[in-house]
Amino acid sequence: MATFGTLSDRLTETFRNLRTKGKLSPADVDGTVREIRRALLDADVALVVVKDFTAKVRERALSDEVSKALNPAQQVVQIVNEELVAILGGEQRRLEFAKTPPTVIMLAGLQGSGKTTFAGKLARQLQADGHTPLLVAADLQRPNAVTQLQVVAERAGATVFAPEPGNGVGDPVQVSKAGVEHARRQQHDVVIIDTAGRLGVDAELMKQASDIRKATDPDEVLFVIDAMIGQDAVNTAKAFQEGVDFTGVVLSKLDGDARGGAALSVASVTGRPIIFASTGENLEDLEPFHPDRMASRILDLGDILTLIEQAQQAFDEEEAMKMAEKLATEAFTLEDFLDQLQQMKKMGSMKKMLGMLPGMGQMKQQLDDFDEKEIDRTEAIIRSMTPTERRTPKLLNGSRRLRIAKGSGMTVTDVNQLVQRFEQAAKMMKTVARGGTPQIPGMGPMGKPGASTKRGKKGAKSKSGSRSGNPAKRAAENAGLPTAASNPTGSGFGLGGGQKAPTEADLAEIQKLFGKN
């Protein structure tokens, strides 16, 4: 996540230096702990949490579990991961629902922390789980707060209870109490009360929040905190805990670029679990908070489980089986490719998904340069084709490609590249579907590194001359002259390939690709 990017980079660099050592001395451990301490302090983690964290890491790193380990450096990484999970709350905690509906969930926090947006996100998620939430507009101080909640609720497809116009008019305590009664009459099983905030902690804010809690007796009080507010996060959390108390924490704006480490301190300082993490502005950008998965992301170990869960939600199992059959029978078309792109878009940001893969922190620049709009451009090109052209790409001659380029606002080169990538991808997927090993251009068959190289060397001894398909190259190689093609060349994946010169058959395929008859 962007918020913890700097912390992740610092910790990853520290462990990279540690892995070069076969055995760890006390000086190595002290140096590593010192770097971890600096990284945490630079990320705005509370001092008391840093001291406790580094003391536990040092104690365990100097114990027998590391000194007797086969890979001491890896063991230290595991220790840091476990202690990081501990300060994030240990185990995941889900919402607790009332035995007798409605379940009342009260939101508290400072103004601008993202309470109203989170209310809409939570309502959307609860509806997906089969609940019937009711949003109560109890923020009657902030200008247009009631209108904002109504707009968010409309986007989420949820019902709003807003008897007062707001903008300083109405009693939030009475509105909250009436909202719970309305939900009981209308058989809504969850009530989400959006309360007012302030720019800072004050007595009036705390009294109002405390009165709402007494009047509604909520099952959950969620403290929404902006992950970007720095060290003040801890002081604010303590003030709300003393004034209102809360049962769980929601981290908002985790997609920001601030250091955000103070948010890591909240669970440890207050003893209250983090239940949700808001990772974007869209209503679907809300994740249940898993301390172990968050620790893995911070340490650049990836978060494959969350990625799998998102894929399961976005992809239809029956459609996936049909797609697998098409791949196995070579019936995969550009229409199917378009369907797959649309399924991927349902999963959310590609950058976010790629960032969940292990080791992607080392490819930060490539992720930053990744253009999310590329999928939209690809979709525009395919939609500019006729159904027949999508099913049979071989029909795409020069004039058709020019028409498609104009219709999609792209160039003929873009169309050619798309068709070429599709053909390569379809070929690889067919190979995998049949149980074979795909061959990536410039890399040879996957899974057997070095196998093709050995065969090439062995075969070279028995050859008396070159068998190149290019007459000029064959004559030069037989005469012992160096050729330009003997130098390593780039491949479609940016890797040195040393590929053979194209044969006449290859040239014919290239001519077909560009629409030349």
Side-chain angles (χ1 to χ4, degrees), residues 104 212-219:
V104 180
I212 292 175
R213 177 164 191 167
K214 290 175 183 176
T216 58
D217 189 23
D219 302 280

Side-chain angles (χ1 to χ4, degrees), residues 92 94-97 105 120-133 156-157 189-190 192 275-276 286-288 309 313:
Q92 183 203 13
R94 297 179 179 274
L95 285 175
E96 294 183 358
F97 293 93
I105 301 173
K121 291 180 178 181
L122 182 58
R124 181 183 182 276
Q125 193 171 98
L126 289 171
Q127 282 183 317
D129 293 337
H131 296 281
T132 54
D189 65 343
V190 180
I192 303 172
I275 301 180
F276 290 104
L286 182 68
E287 300 175 5
E309 288 174 0
Q313 291 174 3

Side-chain angles (χ1 to χ4, degrees), residues 187-248:
Q187 296 186 337
H188 291 277
D189 65 343
V190 180
V191 180
I192 303 172
I193 304 174
D194 180 29
T195 65
R198 295 288 191 280
L199 295 176
V201 176
D202 59 21
E204 185 183 353
L205 167 65
M206 288 305 168
K207 185 179 184 308
Q208 184 185 105
S210 180
D211 290 344
I212 292 175
R213 177 164 191 167
K214 290 175 183 176
T216 58
D217 189 23
D219 302 280
E220 294 274 15
V221 179
L222 301 183
F223 173 54
V224 184
I225 187 166
D226 185 343
M228 301 169 66
I229 67 174
Q231 281 292 331
D232 199 39
V234 175
N235 298 329
T236 304
K238 283 182 178 178
F240 270 90
Q241 188 175 25
E242 293 169 1
V244 186
D245 200 6
F246 49 85
T247 58

Side-chain angles (χ1 to χ4, degrees), residues 173-188:
V173 178
Q174 291 301 321
V175 168
S176 301
K177 193 172 180 179
V180 175
E181 293 300 324
H182 178 78
R184 192 173 283 112
R185 289 194 303 271
Q186 298 297 321
Q187 296 186 337
H188 291 277

Side-chain angles (χ1 to χ4, degrees), residues 125-188:
Q125 193 171 98
L126 289 171
Q127 282 183 317
D129 293 337
H131 296 281
T132 54
L134 173 72
L135 297 176
V136 177
D139 183 357
L140 306 179
Q141 277 75 40
R142 182 167 59 89
N144 296 319
V146 174
T147 305
Q148 182 191 358
L149 184 64
Q150 289 171 333
V151 171
V152 170
E154 185 179 354
R155 288 172 55 203
T159 307
V160 180
F161 179 74
E164 300 289 353
N167 297 323
V169 177
D171 183 354
V173 178
Q174 291 301 321
V175 168
S176 301
K177 193 172 180 179
V180 175
E181 293 300 324
H182 178 78
R184 192 173 283 112
R185 289 194 303 271
Q186 298 297 321
Q187 296 186 337
H188 291 277

